[in-house]
Amino acid sequence: YATVVDSTSFSDILLTDSIGHNPGILTASTWFRRLARVNCKLDWVGAAVSNVIKITVDPTSVGGTISGTATITYGSSTGTMTLSGKTGVIQRWERKVNTGSWTNITNTNATYSESPTSACTMYYRVYVKSGVCSEAYSDVFTVTVNKKDLSITADNKTKVYDGLIYSPFTVSYSGFITGEDYTALGGTLAFGGTSASATDIGTYTIIASGQTSNNYEISYYNGSLLINCAPVVNVVNNVNSGFGSLRNAIANVCDNGTITFASGVDGQTISLTSAALNIDKKITLNNSLHTTGISITGSCDNITINAAKSLTLATNSKVTVIGAIKNNAGVTGLVLNSGASLIQNTVALPATVKRELNNKWHLIGSPFAQSAGATISNITPVGGSTQIKLYTNGTAWSASTTYYMQPLIGYAVCPNITFTASLSGNLYSNPIPTMAYALPLIYTGTSASQSWNLIANPFTSYLNWNLLGKTNVSTTLYLWDNTLSPGLAPSTTATYFRTYNATNGVGVPAGTLPYIAPMQGFFVKASYTSPKLSIPPTARAHSTASFYKEATNTEILVRLKTETETAIDELVVCKSADAKNAFEEFDSEKMLNAMPIEMYTQTPGGEKLIINTINKTNIIIPIGITIANGSKAKITAFGLESAEQVYLEDRLKGKLISLYENTAYEFDFSSEAILGRFFIRFGDINAPLSVSDVKVYTNDHELNIIAQTGEEIQQVEVYSLTGACVYSSKLAGSNVFNSILDLSADIYLVRVKTSLATQNVKVNWK
């Protein structure tokens, strides 16, 4: 056999007398022939030659690469796209629009072009096949088809808030293609024709939006061409109309859009003339960054909400409406998101009020005049449940027995999941805006578990506790804060309340303020018979947070915080020239219970206080701390506003710490801890002690005596009531004494002689 790859020059394949030949794998087309000779001949001269046969080998198919213009404008051609680098014959071109399927293009040329029928993303590829080999595809070439720019021209330019206004004006535009979507500031352009005219200054506005003088973004609303129907419009002044006004913003914001307010509008009053603010869209007002918000006043209905439209106050927004609100859309027409504050005087105003609730305990109330507007079911999430507690004023907690939440009454609720409760009805408001709500309270006695009343803010705005009328009611406000102890249920004997005293303007923990949030429940304590709480509309206010600090002439001497790894508690000692050292309205009781940690000061009369106001500082104030034995704890001092020297005295360890120099003191609360360990002292640490201060306690057959640091206990004697001395001991160099005594249950007289004085104290031995 002989083989060749170019059909002219053969090479030998010695196969002797074989009839057949298998050439194996071929990588190129190859020709074959056979030669035959007589055995006796020594060469191939004159040999017989067969016919020539060709085996054709097709090359591997290669799809190649498409090149062309990657970005075009809708209405234009793609330009020529060219396929190069292929191996094989082009069978067809294929296209895909956006995320659709591939479709065939009847074209077998190496070039192709077309005009896309929409603004979209086009994908192209070519199908190639070489002989009998498997087919191959080229790479995918992408052409982005952008929306066609509209060319807009207008006349009679007049400067207006964020951009330009034209009134009267004629707007003409070209380049619009019927059926094509144009995304604009206000949404989708969906109109035909070539021009629109307008004479209403409040309807048509053009905002340059960073584009050239003849290119503006436009949209279509309510049958009219709107140039700048913006999703967000900013109000920059308090004028009735025109540049930066609220009226102009309402006219130009898109349906479901938001109106924001510049910082300079905070606290401003918008005085309306002629017509009310007409809400003919679904819009949201957002001035959540304001401190006092905006006021709207005028001689007419200040706001009219049309049927099927809505006005929503965004979270933490603050709006005061001096006149009336006319709501023709019912409860869905006026929506207050959680934390929004609205002051208004319209009687029976339909509205929806929302409150965000996590899966912890909350104290809340109803802002509606009609009981049907605030059902218990409104605060139960879909597919979930809510625990509900009622408080029998003057007594204790009880199980829920009502279906409706009544105005002015507080409720404790705990949903099993986090959600936003939505309550609807007619808002609570007096026919006479200056009339106060007079709420009779319960007084049942003076013990710690009696005379507490759970109230709720009936307004959709904050209430200033300082401005509420209080007849035979403590001046102290107690607000449950579930962030202080999220796992606990509220109780009138719980530690985790924010406390604010209206007499001296002091709150605990630091940052607690006199503002009661909308729908917020709160505790007050009746102090005498016929107690009454008056809530005048003049007490309504706006705030940037749930609590707000007021200026006060009360001097903060020190704030103390006690904390362990699991809990924290706080108290404050302050000074006022009008205060007394005994318990009074300047002081606030501590709401106590067997909590993980408790801290309080104690008056000479034994009252336990969270806010202790004194009129002089030449006294020693005992601090009560309750922590589980064996705990490691820390006392931290802050809020040191006074020039007074303030010291923390640890009598058990004989230490006197300057809180100005060392604001934190760590200690072990071990089994040796006894009552009367910690004290607050004021004045000069180097001044000699002149007054004895000794505390005597008994605890489980143990006699405990602690004198102040620097006062040495010299002798301890215990006498029975008959005068017999049953115990005597002399000491030296210590201010702490404790000893277990084997005494029978009775009353004894303990005589303590110190380096400053001798004191006699009666103790009840149990």
Side-chain angles (χ1 to χ4, degrees), residues 294-444:
I294 62 166
S295 296
I296 300 173
T297 186
S299 58
C300 55
D301 286 342
N302 294 166
I303 297 177
T304 298
I305 304 172
N306 293 342
K309 308 303 179 183
S310 65
L311 176 64
T312 299
L313 295 191
T315 297
N316 296 329
S317 293
K318 309 155 195 73
V319 176
T320 299
V321 180
I322 307 300
I325 300 175
K326 189 174 183 180
N327 183 2
N328 297 320
V331 295
T332 61
L334 180 61
V335 179
L336 278 64
N337 284 338
S338 184
S341 183
L342 172 66
I343 297 176
Q344 59 85 32
N345 300 307
T346 303
V347 178
L349 175 65
T352 295
V353 180
K354 298 182 178 182
R355 171 79 182 263
E356 292 181 5
L357 301 173
N358 59 16
N359 58 336
K360 307 298 179 184
W361 283 99
H362 303 261
L363 295 184
I364 70 170
S366 167
F368 299 105
Q370 298 177 351
S371 60
T375 66
I376 295 297
S377 61
N378 292 138
I379 55 175
T380 300
V382 176
S385 62
T386 298
Q387 297 183 64
I388 300 166
K389 286 188 176 183
L390 296 178
Y391 189 77
T392 303
N393 286 346
T395 309
W397 292 100
S398 62
S400 174
T401 57
T402 182
Y403 181 70
Y404 298 111
M405 289 193 291
Q406 303 296 326
L408 296 170
I409 303 301
Y411 300 82
V413 298
C414 181
N416 68 326
I417 60 174
T418 297
F419 83 115
T420 299
S422 182
L423 293 82
S424 300
N426 293 331
L427 293 179
Y428 204 46
S429 180
N430 277 320
I432 303 175
T434 58
M435 182 183 298
Y437 294 111
L439 181 65
L441 305 181
I442 303 297
Y443 176 77
T444 59

Side-chain angles (χ1 to χ4, degrees), residues 558 560 619-621 623 646-648 659 678-682:
V558 64
L560 290 181
I619 61 174
I620 299 175
I621 301 176
I623 299 175
V646 185
Y647 298 91
L648 174 67
L659 295 178
F678 294 102
F679 296 82
I680 290 292
R681 291 178 56 176
F682 306 93

Side-chain angles (χ1 to χ4, degrees), residues 516-531:
I516 305 167
M519 296 178 65
Q520 175 68 55
F522 58 97
F523 273 101
V524 299
K525 189 173 185 181
S527 59
Y528 196 62
T529 57
S530 303

Side-chain angles (χ1 to χ4, degrees), residues 174-194:
S174 61
F176 175 76
I177 300 176
T178 303
E180 179 60 18
D181 289 341
Y182 288 81
T183 300
L185 287 176
T188 299
L189 182 67
F191 57 88
T194 58

Side-chain angles (χ1 to χ4, degrees), residues 210-322:
Q211 300 191 26
T212 62
S213 59
N214 290 326
N215 289 319
Y216 302 96
E217 299 203 59
I218 63 179
S219 64
Y220 187 69
Y221 175 75
N222 200 23
S224 300
L225 170 65
L226 290 186
I227 304 170
N228 179 39
C229 159
V232 179
V233 178
N234 192 37
V235 175
V236 300
N237 59 43
N238 66 340
V239 300
N240 176 62
S241 63
F243 174 78
S245 69
L246 175 59
R247 190 183 298 277
N248 232 30
I250 293 175
N252 292 293
V253 73
C254 294
D255 197 18
N256 294 308
T258 298
I259 295 175
T260 59
F261 294 80
S263 59
V265 189
D266 190 10
Q268 298 289 312
T269 297
I270 299 173
S271 299
L272 303 177
T273 58
S274 64
L277 295 176
N278 186 37
I279 310 300
D280 60 348
K281 312 166 188 175
K282 294 180 179 180
I283 61 175
T284 297
L285 298 185
N286 187 349
N287 64 342
S288 58
L289 298 180
H290 283 181
T291 300
T292 56
I294 62 166
S295 296
I296 300 173
T297 186
S299 58
C300 55
D301 286 342
N302 294 166
I303 297 177
T304 298
I305 304 172
N306 293 342
K309 308 303 179 183
S310 65
L311 176 64
T312 299
L313 295 191
T315 297
N316 296 329
S317 293
K318 309 155 195 73
V319 176
T320 299
V321 180
I322 307 300

